Amino acid sequence: MNSREDPLGSLEHVVLLAVLRLGAQAYGMNVLRDIKAATGCSLSIGAVYATLVRLESKGLLNSFEGEPTAERGGRAKRYFRLTAKGKAALRSTREMLRKMSIGIQGLEVS
Amino acid sequence: MRHGILVRAAIATLARLLPASHRPGFAGDLLEELALRERESPAPAARLWLLRQVARSVPPLVWCALARTKWLSTLSCAFVAYVAVGLTEFLVNWALSGAPGGGGAYRPLGMVLTFPAVAVIAWAAATYRRGAPWVLGAMMLLAVTVMTLTSAENLPTAYRVAYFIVGPLAVTLGAALRGRSAAPRQARTP
């Protein structure tokens, strides 16, 4: 992410991190489960998909279809993967947050 | 695992708010999790989870659908469609007011007659802007909510409830019919 691009929103940031954590197993419901397990935050699947679609339209993610299964009513999973631009956006956001956090006191986790 | 028609209809309707390439993945994810929850907990609890997911998914997915369209033209198209719906309702009620027993605000026949007209209006709106029917549905729900809260007329509860269902259902039908007729053309587009 360069200075002319929009910074990541907080949900976009969390979803990108979840996709990165899940690697080859990153599909919508798994992203939802991972965010719930890691943060306790209970999102809706609609919010996750809306974010994934937005990130894909920004070129930060790409997606591909997996194999359909009977358990899913014959529907295939749609897997997501970070693009180079997505990884750069994550690095840039992390760096921005690190710089903004320098010198701040009183927010230590107890 | 087989699920009821209402479950499948709710999921399919929600999925339509996503780009075509993401719809099977979205629907499959919900069915997969529902099947998992039905194995691990009582069926009513699993159904309740699905109901919550569907309800909570509507705002972000409507937003997502609108964001993919051009805002101003979508809103303008929805507004014109809303005026057309209002005009249709007015004409139907005016025509019925002369009929025997047609006086007052309670006109179930008017609702029945308006339903296909609203579906056609939603279909036409979707022809111009894909997101317009969903904005139209939201406008109709808002209008019905305001009228229900402010109206002092003594209408049967079933009639009031029907007002919340019939309009959005007609809009969904119109949008779905438009989507179905446009699907073969989209499939040819790379």
Side-chain angles (χ1 to χ4, degrees), chain B residues 111 157-168:
Chain B
M111 197 179 276
T157 306
Y159 189 70
R160 286 184 186 275
V161 171
Y163 242 108
F164 278 94
I165 298 168
V166 170

Side-chain angles (χ1 to χ4, degrees), chain B residues 2 12 15 28 42 63 68 72 85 99 105 126 129 144 149 151-152 155 177 187:
Chain B
R2 296 195 63 78
W63 186 260
R68 298 198 316 277
L72 194 60
V85 168
R129 299 300 319 166
V144 170
L149 292 175
S151 172
L155 298 175
L177 287 174

